[in-house]
């Protein structure tokens, strides 16, 4: 008896250390769950392609030998993806648990492991098919939060351990303190753990829905248009750094008020024409794509675009003319506006006359540059109206068209101080040279000019206020921008290079400077170029 007594304390101490180590693993794992939750929720909100767990899963599929992948598909069937995601999640939990244990021994050691996990996630996201810089945000944010959660829980655990250890010089610790510290740690762990798990499950479900919609979107084959809008060979001058005639979808500017990207499955979409109509018409996605669709190239511009700004892009849109749908509903006399409403409640008020104009291709668009609309550009259906700024016409995720009047209704931006009507103003922009220091000799000055639905007839380049005609590229018609180019014989010194366009009505772009609000910026885009 007396021989075993001295051993009792070391045994207890070492098992207490083991228990602490166990808690360290748990704290790390909870940090990992919190991190995945934040990553998935952030991805859902801002960048659906940025979920690191899913991206790592896809990367694993890409790295594994095809035989193994096929074997997985055959044995697991449709469960293959969930199983893979669970494996990835368990891997993250394992690594984060290890991080917890290491952090407990040495500050920042676990942080290094978290950083390593983040690096894998970022690598996977950036090598995915929809890589973009935004897409790394979820991973970075998630693992930062995860590490902070780990630090928080470990500090509670440390409080408990120090309360348990008898204070130096005293026989026993205050019996109350360890209990309190222990309870505090356990409560924090339970609460943070539960919230993390619940958020992770919610995040995964949301991102999985978004993923399924995105997958259906990317598989969707656009119907063949009944009318094409052939692009002349001379539409693109092929100058380096000059905006291409057609803006690739990945580079197309994005403007909307949506904090959360609306995720709409095509099968769940429908659009209702209501208000001052003879009969309400509701159309489903399958009805819409079965209609005769037309293809039209239209340049979209944001009213917020500053002089020289980049909130403008040109795309081939495929869709159904809105006038046809309005005709089916039968517009009542007295109406002068169509208020369109999106899935997320945003609205735009468009002049009825523009939408019913037989010479204007105002579309309910399903396609953008040969593919289904990207989610952030309005999937499955948006409006595109030549000649009007986006805020009064280009409703993305559109669900309702209400035929009404400008007296009775107003679009989202009107009460916020923007003009109720937003016809596009004549504008031009210098894209090239991108660097504003050049060598003397021939310098290509090039850019784009637009005045949708009127068209651009002339572009001039001013070198220190002496104006020269620029060469104009072709275009599909008046609804798109035109590239322009001027070969400048640059002499050493500092020069002011400006551009101004004249539209097809003979109206020269105004030099008068105006801010974007309330109805679009004006002024000549001017750059200072120093020639060596
Ligand atoms: N649902 C919805 N649609 C919207 C907006 C919006 O905030 N919500 N913004 C509009 C504005 S101001 C512009 S300029 C265009 C931009 O379209 P894009 O993001 O496809 O370039 O969309 C329009 N459609
Ligand atoms: Mo806009």
């Amino acid at each position: 008896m007396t021989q075993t007594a001295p051993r009792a304390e070391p045994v207890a101490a070492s098992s207490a250390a083991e228990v602490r180590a166990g808690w360290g693993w748990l704290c790390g794992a909870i940090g990992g769950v919190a991190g995945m939750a934040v990553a998935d929720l952030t991805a859902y909100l801002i960048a659906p392609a940025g979920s690191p767990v899913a991206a790592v899963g896809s990367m694993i599929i890409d790295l594994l030998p095809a035989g193994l992948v096929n074997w997985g598909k055959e044995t697991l069937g449709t469960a293959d993806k969930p199983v893979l995601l669970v494996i990835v999640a368990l891997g993250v939990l394992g690594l984060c648990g290890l991080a917890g244990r290491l952090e407990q021994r040495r500050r920042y050691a676990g942080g290094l492991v978290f950083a390593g996990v983040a690096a894998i996630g970022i690598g996977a996201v950036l090598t995915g098919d929809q890589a973009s810089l935004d897409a790394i945000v979820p991973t970075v944010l998630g693992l930062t939060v995860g590490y902070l959660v780990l630090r928080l829980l470990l500090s509670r655990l440390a409080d408990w351990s120090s309360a348990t250890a008898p204070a130096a010089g005293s026989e026993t610790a205050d019996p109350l303190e360890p209990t309190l510290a222990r309870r505090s740690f356990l409560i924090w762990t339970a609460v943070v753990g539960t919230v993390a798990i619940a958020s992770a499950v919610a995040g995964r479900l949301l991102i999985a829905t978004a993923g399924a919609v995105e997958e259906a979107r990317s598989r969707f084959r656009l119907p063949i248009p009944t009318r094409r809008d052939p692009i002349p060979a001379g539409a693109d001058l092929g100058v380096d750094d000059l905006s291409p005639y057609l803006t690739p979808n990945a580079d197309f500017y994005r403007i909307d008020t949506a904090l959360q990207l609306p995720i709409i499955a095509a099968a769940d979409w429908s659009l209702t024409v209501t208000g001052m109509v003879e009969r309400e018409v509701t159309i489903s996605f399958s009805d819409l794509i079965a209609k005769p669709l037309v293809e039209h190239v239209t340049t979209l511009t944001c009213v917020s675009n500053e002089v020289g700004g980049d909130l403008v892009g040109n795309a081939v849109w495929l869709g159904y003319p809105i006038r046809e749908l309005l005709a089916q509903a039968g517009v009542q006399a007295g109406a002068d506006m169509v208020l369109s409403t999106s899935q997320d409640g945003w609205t735009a008020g468009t002049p009825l006359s523009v939408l019913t104009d037989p010479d204007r291709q105002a579309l309910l668009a399903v396609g953008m540059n040969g593919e289904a609309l990207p989610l952030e550009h309005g999937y499955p259906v948006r409006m595109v109206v030549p000649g009007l700024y986006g805020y009064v016409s280009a409703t993305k995720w559109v669900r309702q068209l209400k035929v009404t009047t400008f007296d009775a209704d107003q679009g989202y931006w009107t009460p916020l101080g923007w003009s109720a009507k937003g016809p596009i103003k004549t504008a031009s922009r210098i894209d090239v040279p991108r660097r504003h220091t050049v060598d003397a000799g021939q310098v290509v000055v090039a850019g784009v000019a637009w005045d949708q639905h009127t068209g651009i007839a002339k572009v001039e380049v001013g070198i220190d206020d002496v104006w020269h005609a620029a060469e104009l590229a072709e275009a599909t018609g008046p609804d798109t921008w035109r590239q322009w180019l001027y070969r400048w014989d640059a002499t050493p010194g500092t020069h002011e290079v400006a551009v101004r366009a004249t539209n097809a009505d003979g109206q020269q772009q105004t030099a008068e400077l105006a801010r974007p609000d309330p109805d679009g910026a004006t002024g000549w885009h001017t750059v200072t170029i120093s020639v060596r």
Side-chain angles (χ1 to χ4, degrees):
M1 285 297 172
T2 46
Q3 282 175 325
T4 54
R7 248 193 275 155
E9 209 183 288
V11 167
S14 86
S15 77
E18 269 167 33
V19 167
R20 260 205 308 283
W23 284 123
W25 282 89
L26 183 69
C27 295
I30 292 176
V33 175
M36 286 189 281
V38 169
D40 274 351
L41 290 170
T42 312
Y44 180 64
L45 288 175
I46 65 162
S51 162
V53 178
V56 169
S58 314
M59 185 173 73
I60 292 178
I61 294 181
D62 292 346
L63 293 177
L64 287 181
L68 195 58
V69 173
N70 285 329
W71 174 83
K73 271 212 165 70
E74 273 157 32
T75 36
L76 296 169
T78 53
D80 62 341
K81 285 215 180 86
V83 166
L84 181 65
L85 291 178
V86 167
I87 293 173
V88 173
L90 289 177
V92 172
L93 286 189
L95 285 171
C96 292
L98 175 68
R101 178 67 192 118
L102 295 176
E103 183 81 18
Q104 211 176 13
R105 292 200 184 160
R106 191 175 181 162
R107 191 159 189 174
Y108 304 126
L112 272 180
V113 177
F114 267 76
V117 173
I120 297 173
I122 290 172
V125 162
L126 287 182
T127 50
D129 359 298
Q130 288 185 57
S132 74
L133 234 42
D134 288 5
I136 71 173
V137 174
T139 311
V140 172
L141 200 65
L143 285 151
T144 306
V145 170
Y147 181 61
L148 292 177
V149 164
L150 166 63
R151 293 267 358 140
L152 170 85
L153 296 181
L154 281 186
S155 80
R156 302 282 136 182
L157 183 59
D159 289 348
W160 173 21
S161 308
S162 58
T164 313
S170 79
E171 284 280 288
T172 49
D174 175 356
L176 202 63
E177 270 184 27
T179 323
L180 268 184
R182 175 171 178 271
R183 188 185 297 162
S184 164
F185 168 72
L186 292 178
I187 289 176
W188 273 97
T189 305
V191 169
V192 173
T194 309
V195 170
I197 291 172
S199 317
V201 169
R204 195 90 291 279
L205 289 177
L206 290 172
I207 200 83
T209 317
V213 170
E214 171 53 30
E215 195 171 316
R217 187 205 78 84
S218 65
R219 272 203 316 266
F220 181 70
R221 305 229 2 220
L222 291 182
I224 308 290
T226 55
R227 222 196 87 162
R228 289 199 184 269
D229 202 7
I231 296 170
D236 209 307
L237 299 171
V239 173
D240 281 349
D241 289 339
L242 171 59
S243 305
Y245 179 63
L246 290 179
T247 313
N249 291 355
D251 301 339
F252 209 94
Y253 80 96
R254 174 187 170 194
I255 293 285
D256 52 63
T257 57
L259 284 179
Q260 159 56 49
L261 198 61
I263 307 281
I264 312 168
D268 295 337
W269 180 89
S270 67
L271 175 120
T272 302
V273 185
T274 183
M276 299 170 69
V277 289
E278 301 301 333
R279 60 205 84 80
E280 279 201 350
V281 173
T282 295
I283 188 167
S284 68
F285 188 76
S286 50
D287 289 344
L288 183 70
I289 58 173
K291 301 265 186 202
L293 303 187
V294 303
E295 192 183 84
H296 192 69
V297 186
T298 298
T299 298
L300 209 63
T301 313
C302 185
V303 70
S304 304
N305 197 38
E306 305 271 354
V307 171
D310 57 6
L311 301 181
V312 51
N314 188 38
V316 182
W317 307 97
L318 174 73
Y320 185 55
I322 294 172
R323 63 174 176 278
E324 308 278 356
L325 203 61
L326 290 175
Q328 283 150 40
V331 171
Q332 291 176 5
D336 64 1
M337 186 243 250
V338 171
L339 187 77
S340 48
T341 307
S342 70
Q343 174 87 12
D344 59 329
W346 186 85
T347 52
T350 311
L352 180 65
S353 57
V354 169
L355 297 179
T356 52
D357 180 355
D359 295 322
R360 190 166 340 205
Q361 297 297 0
L363 300 180
L364 277 177
V366 296
M368 178 177 185
N369 288 329
E371 54 175 278
L373 295 175
L375 298 186
E376 64 275 25
H377 293 293
Y379 182 81
V381 183
R382 75 172 303 168
M383 288 171 56
V384 176
V385 181
L388 303 181
Y389 286 122
Y391 81 110
V392 291
S393 70
T395 307
K396 303 191 272 190
W397 317 290
V398 62
R399 295 302 302 268
Q400 192 192 70
L401 301 182
K402 179 187 177 195
V403 179
T404 178
T405 63
F406 277 99
D407 281 345
D409 281 296
Q410 50 186 0
Y412 180 90
W413 285 109
T414 307
L416 299 171
W418 296 78
S419 164
K421 296 193 182 169
I424 290 173
K425 298 177 178 178
T426 317
S428 51
R429 184 180 77 196
I430 299 169
D431 288 349
V432 178
R434 201 135 282 190
R435 307 174 104 258
H436 291 173
T437 304
V438 299
D439 291 330
Q442 197 191 76
V443 171
V444 169
V445 182
V448 281
W450 61 89
D451 189 346
Q452 289 92 308
H453 210 60
T454 303
I456 293 294
K458 182 164 80 175
V459 169
E460 294 162 289
V461 175
I463 308 285
D464 303 322
D465 290 328
V466 181
W467 294 88
H468 310 269
E471 182 185 319
L472 270 182
E474 291 178 66
T476 53
D479 293 341
T480 79
W481 62 16
R482 288 180 80 171
Q483 293 186 347
W484 55 264
L485 175 155
Y486 173 67
R487 292 175 210 281
W488 171 35
D489 219 348
T491 52
T494 300
H495 301 281
E496 292 277 293
V497 177
V499 63
R500 69 184 183 202
T502 300
N503 72 13
D505 289 342
Q507 293 283 321
Q508 189 182 83
Q509 179 184 344
T510 178
E512 200 177 309
L513 287 174
R515 294 151 38 98
D517 65 291
D519 61 358
T522 60
W524 295 339
H525 186 208
T526 306
V527 294
T528 305
I529 298 208
S530 70
V531 181
R532 290 180 296 214

